């Protein structure tokens, strides 16, 4: 065991809730809980049992709360240490008072993420699994949650371990051939083996990174730019979809000057919605800058919602925007459908597919269901099925994978130049180490502390 003290924290979100949990972990967890618990003698209960009773302040014998207390003895627990969880009634006071009396018994207040850190240090989970716990807590939507769950169950770890295993096997073979040079062409054989493995592993890492860029979407939201001429209803759409009056809406063309962002969730699809300044020719400096920004946002967007005002004829700007976005994921809204139609649908058909067009009236709230359904269908039915999101990589993972690719590239190059094998082995081993850092098989304390401090308290 790595630490001998016993830690405690409130493990549920602070606030009104049906229950709040105070969790203890460490060698003294059971005796400490026993001192503040009136009910069965926790020292004698079997592991993985739950007991009704009261939390009392041993100094005054005052009853603090009516509770259910569960006892999980190590190593079959989250941290692999003895754990006691006291389930208090929800609300802030009872839970905090319970934590106070537990700390009075000598428990130390846990640092954020310390329970999970112990699970890691005691060898129950590896680093990428620990990070998945963090993602799980922060998951914004169900889909992201599933991906975190997969990772928690070790899909990333398994993949990385398999890659390292593959590398190790080759390394072992190379060592053997070098130590027992029965053949003349030992050197050449080793070079071929090293290059083949380096190429294979590199390919698999690249695949992982590619899948991960899709995984990233689910954690950060799909960049969705609302684009169009001034006054077509862009800000009205942002306000409607986000359910708050975030952007100013007026009938003055050119109301929005800067981009406005809002994270929303449409039927399980997380979107980063970006309202932009209406695009038009203008001599006004601030508006010019805004328009320039709109164009940049449009270029970078994962999804473009292009709004046209169907109460007006298509003009040059509309056509320019249709042209500019034709290769992007986009949805075209014919807004203000409550007004007399003017826009020429046949002309519009020259610039886009019919099945990406939806007639809407934001003021009368019509057509917006269809918009939501289309977003849902595109992202869950189409390119981004949940199967693609097996791996959620964070920045740390991505960087390590990229560094590993660099090291492997050096290996590949060196084998092509037929450099001495023991020289090549240096880069090869470096790549192997870098991969190990993802699962925490070669990490330093400093990194660990930094990582785990990002967790919430009590986890
Ligand atoms: N009749 C009608 N009016 C609408 C509809 N949607 C928005 N409007 C009105 O159109 C005007 C402009 O709406 P905004 O949402 O500010 O338009 P915008 O595209 O953000 O405009 P800029 O910020 O100037 O680029 C407001 O008066 C809205 O109330 C609609 O579906 N029908
Ligand atoms: Mg606006």
């Amino acid at each position: 065991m790595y630490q001998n003290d016993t830690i405690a924290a409130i493990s549920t979100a602070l606030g009104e809730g049906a229950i709040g949990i105070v969790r203890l972990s460490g060698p003294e967890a059971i005796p400490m809980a026993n001192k503040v618990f009136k009910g069965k003698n926790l020292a004698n209960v079997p592991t993985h049992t739950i007991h009704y009773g009261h939390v009392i302040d041993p100094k005054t014998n005052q009853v603090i709360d009516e509770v259910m207390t569960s006892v999980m003895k190590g190593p079959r627990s989250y941290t692999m240490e003895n754990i006691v969880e006291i389930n208090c009634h929800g609300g802030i006071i009872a839970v905090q008072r319970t934590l106070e009396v537990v700390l009075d018994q000598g428990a130390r207040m846990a640092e954020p993420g310390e329970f999970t850190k112990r699970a890691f240090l005691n060898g129950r989970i590896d680093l990428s699994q620990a990070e998945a716990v963090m993602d799980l807590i922060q998951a914004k939507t169900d889909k992201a949650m599933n991906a975190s769950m997969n990772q928690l169950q070790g899909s990333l770890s398994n993949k990385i371990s398999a890659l390292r295993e593959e590398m190790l096997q080759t390394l072992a073979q190379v060592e053997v051939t070098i130590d027992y040079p029965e053949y003349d062409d030992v050197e050449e054989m080793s070079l071929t083996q090293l290059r083949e493995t380096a190429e294979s592993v590199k390919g698999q890492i690249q695949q992982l990174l590619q899948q991960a860029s899709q995984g990233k979407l689910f954690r950060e939201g799909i960049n969705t730019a609302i684009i169009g001429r001034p006054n077509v209803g862009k800000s009205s759409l942002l306000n409607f979809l986000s359910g708050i009056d975030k952007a100013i809406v007026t009938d003055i063309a050119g109301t929005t000057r800067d981009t406005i962002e809002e994270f929303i969730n449409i039927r399980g699809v997380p979107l980063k919605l970006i309202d932009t300044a209406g695009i038009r020719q203008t001599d006004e400096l601030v508006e010019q800058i805004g328009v320039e920004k709109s164009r940049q946002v449009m270029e970078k967007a994962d999804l473009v919602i292009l709004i046209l005002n169907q109460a007006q004829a298509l003009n040059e700007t509309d056509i320019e925007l249709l042209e500019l976005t034709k290769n992007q994921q986009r949805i075209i809204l014919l807004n203000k459908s409550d007004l007399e139609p003017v826009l020429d649908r046949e002309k519009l058909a020259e610039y886009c597919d019919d099945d990406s067009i939806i007639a809407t009236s934001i003021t009368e709230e019509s057509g917006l269901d269809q918009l939501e359904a289309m977003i849902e269908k595109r992202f869950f039915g189409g390119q981004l099925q949940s199967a693609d999101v097996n791996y959620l990589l964070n920045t740390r993972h991505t960087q390590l994978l990229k560094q590993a690719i660099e090291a492997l590239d050096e290996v590949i190059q060196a084998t092509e130049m037929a450099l001495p094998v023991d020289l090549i082995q240096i880069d090869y081993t470096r790549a192997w180490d870098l991969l190990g850092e993802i699962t925490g098989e070669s990490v330093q304390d400093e990194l660990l502390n930094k990582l785990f401090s990002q967790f919430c308290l009590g986890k």
Side-chain angles (χ1 to χ4, degrees):
M1 292 274 149
Y2 117 93
Q3 261 175 349
N4 290 324
D5 58 350
T6 296
I7 53 173
I10 299 170
S11 285
T12 41
L14 272 187
E16 294 299 323
I19 56 166
I21 299 175
V22 172
R23 179 194 258 172
L24 292 92
S25 177
E28 296 297 309
I30 296 171
M32 281 175 183
N34 218 4
K35 284 200 195 123
V36 303
F37 180 75
K38 222 170 142 188
K40 258 202 189 129
N41 181 355
L42 300 177
N44 299 331
V45 302
T47 182
H48 291 78
T49 52
I50 186 158
H51 308 278
Y52 171 82
H54 292 86
V55 168
I56 52 148
D57 182 344
K59 279 187 282 197
T60 58
N61 256 341
Q62 193 195 359
V63 172
I64 294 172
D65 200 7
E66 184 187 30
V67 298
M68 297 292 287
T69 297
S70 42
V71 173
M72 285 148 288
K73 294 184 188 163
R76 276 179 51 218
S77 76
Y78 184 63
T79 54
M80 293 186 80
E81 303 171 338
N82 286 346
I83 287 190
V84 176
E85 287 182 354
I86 305 174
N87 294 252
C88 306
H89 286 292
I92 301 163
I93 309 286
V95 188
Q96 271 181 345
R97 282 287 291 133
T98 301
L99 177 64
E100 272 169 34
V101 293
V102 165
L103 295 177
D104 281 347
Q105 306 312 309
R108 175 170 64 75
M109 182 75 191
E111 289 159 18
E114 200 172 356
F115 290 97
T116 309
K117 184 177 178 181
R118 287 189 171 196
F120 167 72
L121 289 169
N122 292 328
R124 200 179 72 85
I125 56 176
D126 73 23
L127 253 199
S128 78
Q129 289 173 314
E131 284 168 319
V133 174
M134 186 158 73
D135 284 337
L136 207 57
I137 299 167
Q138 293 169 349
K140 291 202 179 83
T141 72
D142 294 350
K143 285 281 168 180
M145 184 97 135
N146 280 340
S148 297
M149 282 299 271
N150 273 338
Q151 188 167 326
L152 188 55
Q153 284 152 11
S155 63
L156 178 65
S157 326
N158 290 343
K159 180 77 198 168
I160 299 288
S161 299
L163 289 179
R164 293 185 91 222
E165 184 58 36
E166 188 178 335
M167 292 181 74
L168 200 59
Q169 291 233 343
T170 302
L171 201 58
Q173 274 174 25
V174 168
E175 297 279 359
V176 169
T177 17
I178 287 177
D179 291 346
Y180 302 95
E182 290 134 342
Y183 314 98
D184 303 333
D185 54 352
V186 168
E187 200 57 37
E188 200 179 309
M189 264 185 56
S190 302
L191 285 179
T192 316
Q193 272 182 331
L194 283 171
R195 184 173 56 238
E196 277 171 5
T197 309
E199 268 163 3
S200 147
V201 171
K202 181 186 163 185
Q204 294 177 68
I205 296 178
Q206 278 170 335
Q207 213 178 359
L208 210 57
L209 283 170
Q210 203 194 340
Q211 283 173 328
S213 68
Q214 289 168 322
K216 189 158 165 263
L217 288 180
F218 284 94
R219 217 164 0 157
E220 293 178 356
I222 288 148
N223 263 316
T224 307
I226 308 175
I227 296 288
R229 271 199 273 154
N231 214 30
V232 293
K234 299 180 295 300
S235 302
S236 306
L237 182 68
L238 176 91
N239 288 350
F240 176 84
L241 291 178
S242 64
I244 50 171
D245 280 339
K246 178 116 178 178
I248 300 171
V249 168
T250 73
D251 57 6
I252 304 163
T255 298
T256 307
R257 298 302 191 86
D258 208 343
T259 52
I260 301 171
E261 298 178 359
E262 186 66 28
F263 278 98
I264 62 160
N265 178 339
I266 289 185
R267 304 189 184 185
V269 186
L271 301 183
K272 182 167 128 192
L273 215 51
I274 311 162
D275 179 23
T276 62
I279 289 178
R280 66 171 169 186
Q281 277 294 350
T282 168
D283 295 330
E284 215 259 333
L285 181 67
V286 180
E287 196 178 347
Q288 269 177 5
I289 297 171
V291 169
E292 185 47 39
K293 232 174 157 177
S294 304
R295 291 180 185 277
Q296 287 168 4
V297 167
M298 174 172 75
E299 261 175 47
K300 279 192 292 183
D302 301 314
L303 172 67
V304 172
I305 300 180
L306 175 56
I307 307 188
L308 304 173
N309 180 351
Q310 67 97 52
Q312 289 179 0
L314 272 183
N315 75 2
E316 271 172 31
T317 309
D318 293 330
I319 292 170
E320 187 202 344
L321 293 177
L322 283 162
E323 292 281 2
L324 282 174
T325 55
K326 68 173 180 235
N327 294 324
Q328 282 178 287
Q329 275 286 336
R330 73 171 172 194
I331 296 173
I332 292 159
L333 299 188
L334 295 184
N335 194 36
K336 308 205 182 183
S337 62
D338 51 298
L339 304 178
E340 201 57 42
V342 175
L343 188 140
D344 182 350
R345 289 290 296 259
E346 274 177 29
K347 187 162 180 212
L348 176 63
E350 294 169 23
Y351 299 98
C352 61
D353 287 343
D354 212 40
D355 54 9
S356 61
I357 303 174
I358 301 172
T360 58
S361 167
I362 301 171
T363 43
E364 300 198 340
E365 301 189 3
S366 75
L368 296 156
D369 269 358
Q370 274 164 276
L371 171 64
E372 295 194 358
M374 191 177 284
I375 292 173
E376 182 189 22
K377 186 163 158 253
R378 291 239 186 132
F379 285 91
F380 289 141
Q383 306 84 325
L384 294 175
Q385 285 165 341
S386 56
D388 291 340
V389 217
N390 273 332
Y391 311 104
L392 276 183
L393 300 189
N394 57 30
T395 327
R396 191 183 73 86
H397 296 150
T398 318
Q399 269 177 355
L400 288 168
L401 288 175
K402 286 184 179 157
Q403 286 171 19
I405 288 185
E406 278 168 26
L408 290 169
D409 273 337
E410 308 224 335
V411 171
I412 296 167
Q413 259 184 22
T415 53
E416 279 159 4
M417 290 156 65
L419 294 183
V421 169
D422 45 356
L423 224 109
I424 299 175
Q425 277 185 15
I426 297 175
D427 284 321
Y428 191 88
T429 316
R430 188 157 56 90
W432 189 75
D433 275 339
L434 285 163
L435 292 179
E437 275 187 43
I438 292 176
T439 47
E441 276 152 281
S442 44
V443 277
Q444 310 91 348
D445 280 358
E446 197 187 328
L447 171 68
L448 275 187
N449 287 336
K450 198 164 145 242
L451 264 176
F452 285 103
S453 65
Q454 293 173 26
F455 280 69
C456 29
L457 215 59
K459 201 55 198 163

